[in-house]
Amino acid sequence: MLRFGILGCGSIAGFLGRLLARPDGPLRERACLVAVAGRDPVRAHRLAAELGCEALAVPDLLARTDIDAVVVCTPSGTHAELGTAALRAGKHVLVEKPVDVTPEAADRLIAAARHTGRTLGVISQHRFDPASEVARAAVEDGTLGRITSVLIEVPLWRARSYYASGQWRGTRALDGGGALMNQAVHAVDLAQWLAGPVVEAAAHTGLLAHDGIEVEDVATASLKFADGALGALLATTAAYPGRTTRVAVNGERGSVVIDNDELAYFHTAREGEQPTAYGAYGDGNQAADRCPPPGEPPLRDRIGLLHQPHRDQLVDFCDAVRTGRPPLVDGAAGRRAVAAVHAVYTSARTGRTVRLDESGNLTQDKGRTP
């Protein structure tokens, strides 16, 4: 049984707290919640009362010997600082996305985990969606053939009231970016999990529909992946009324589309089948065969998030701690997502194509205007 504390008292802290305070299924015998902590004592006590746990100050939570692991749910730009403090206090650490707002901050957190020998994970729950697992299996076993292109579309809407709901939102220091860093980083991580690391980006960003924030509300990019696949990215919080996130992976023998966390399309050539001259124009959807829809509506929290993917990531993290293996989404994976986002930002700022190595380290600007 891994005993958890949560740093932060916002909506995602409450959601994860409800999963840990009343664990079900495979999480029941793996985890429990001991305490929450935040900057605002009133909010901390209110959340603790709901969850049936203790409310503490952050230093007191980190000093508790009956807490084994900490989930960091504070503003993005504080993740490395607080995560490092928790690691040095002997805790295992699971950080809400993004791992932090710069690759350099991520490096500090990863180094602290390595130095302390504790487990570090980053929440990217969409890897645990059934649709994502089907897509990943199809990539790994070669069902799709060589991956040739990837489309990432995150067309969301966020009103001014959203950015006003927290002083950190829309700031460079604590949000790290806008539609891409905050909202689309999940889709970027999923695309890299399926198609491999992004190694090149040529991009534009803009602030087109919001006032009073420091970050972009539209980002577009042309991407290149390590194995040669080409990609296109749109991330925006200026697409009223907002539509669903969509990741499509296309290969020489098949294609897969994940839309709103569900397998919207899947088609591959059968064994021994030769693709026809003009393909099928989207006919022959095999998605229901690969990922049958659930008989009952999936269980969602009151803030709209599905229980199952986050629960399964918590299970994976607990098992990683118990066995000593890395979690499915470790610090390096979290860093790669942030590095790809920063490549887009750097390209948009400089007007140059930006190149990364497969670990997400900036290698050079290629000197070509995107």
Side-chain angles (χ1 to χ4, degrees):
M1 181 75 72
L2 203 62
R3 300 165 297 181
F4 280 87
I6 296 177
L7 302 184
C9 299
S11 58
I12 191 62
F15 169 68
L16 291 168
R18 287 185 284 276
L19 287 177
L20 290 167
R22 294 176 287 276
D24 65 354
L27 193 59
R28 184 185 303 276
E29 296 182 359
R30 287 175 166 88
C32 66
L33 180 65
V34 175
V36 297
R39 292 176 299 176
D40 184 341
V42 173
R43 293 185 70 185
H45 279 88
R46 185 185 303 130
L47 181 59
E50 176 199 338
L51 300 176
C53 68
E54 293 186 65
L56 301 170
V58 171
D60 295 334
L61 187 150
L62 296 183
R64 287 281 290 262
T65 59
D66 60 343
I67 293 177
D68 308 303
V70 167
V71 186
V72 180
C73 299
T74 55
S76 303
T78 66
H79 288 176
E81 176 187 356
L82 291 171
T84 296
L87 290 163
R88 289 174 176 168
K91 316 303 182 188
H92 305 285
V93 171
L94 181 60
V95 182
E96 174 57 27
K97 64 81 187 168
V99 61
D100 203 285
V101 298
T102 66
E104 293 76 19
D107 287 338
R108 294 194 296 272
L109 186 57
I110 292 167
R114 186 181 303 115
H115 177 74
T116 60
R118 300 300 177 181
T119 299
L120 172 64
V122 181
I123 291 178
S124 191
Q125 77 277 6
H126 294 301
R127 291 197 188 193
F128 295 84
D129 293 330
S132 301
E133 292 174 337
V134 168
R136 170 74 174 187
V139 170
E140 286 193 317
D141 67 17
T143 298
L144 303 182
R146 182 179 182 182
I147 304 303
T148 56
S149 62
V150 180
L151 301 176
I152 306 166
E153 185 184 14
V154 187
L156 306 178
W157 170 256
R158 294 293 185 267
R160 183 68 190 92
S161 57
Y162 165 81
Y163 291 103
S165 66
Q167 292 183 345
W168 66 279
R169 293 194 185 278
T171 66
R172 294 193 186 281
L174 293 180
D175 218 350
L180 182 53
M181 179 66 83
N182 192 310
Q183 280 77 29
V185 68
H186 275 307
V188 171
D189 174 71
L190 182 58
Q192 292 193 113
W193 191 50
L194 297 176
V198 169
V199 296
E200 201 169 294
H204 297 279
T205 61
L207 180 58
L208 304 179
H210 296 88
D211 297 318
I213 63 174
E214 302 172 352
V215 296
E216 86 288 348
D217 58 13
V218 181
T220 63
S222 173
L223 304 174
K224 186 175 182 180
F225 293 80
D227 287 341
L230 304 181
L233 163 71
L234 166 67
T236 180
T237 53
Y240 186 82
R243 293 183 288 112
T244 53
T245 294
R246 186 178 180 93
V247 176
V249 178
N250 306 307
E252 61 181 346
R253 291 190 61 80
S255 298
V256 57
V257 178
I258 299 170
D259 194 332
N260 199 27
D261 310 331
E262 297 181 355
L263 194 65
Y265 182 81
F266 188 103
H267 185 95
T268 64
R270 307 293 186 182
E271 185 175 353
E273 175 186 346
Q274 294 301 314
T276 60
Y278 293 98
Y281 287 101
D283 288 340
N285 191 352
Q286 303 160 5
D289 298 331
R290 295 279 179 161
C291 191
E296 298 291 333
L299 187 63
R300 291 183 181 269
D301 188 74
R302 66 189 188 213
I303 65 171
L305 291 176
L306 291 168
H307 284 187
Q308 172 265 317
H310 280 93
R311 183 200 66 197
D312 288 356
Q313 181 157 18
L314 286 168
V315 169
D316 174 76
F317 182 77
C318 291
D319 289 350
V321 170
R322 178 176 56 83
T323 63
R325 65 164 173 81
L328 177 62
V329 192
D330 60 8
R335 185 193 187 281
R336 280 193 295 273
V338 170
V341 168
H342 263 259
V344 171
Y345 288 158
T346 301
S347 174
R349 185 180 69 252
T350 63
R352 299 164 72 91
T353 299
V354 172
R355 186 166 180 79
L356 306 169
D357 63 24
E358 293 189 21
S359 296
N361 298 306
L362 186 67
T363 58
Q364 62 178 346
D365 290 349
K366 293 188 69 178
R368 177 168 56 86
T369 301

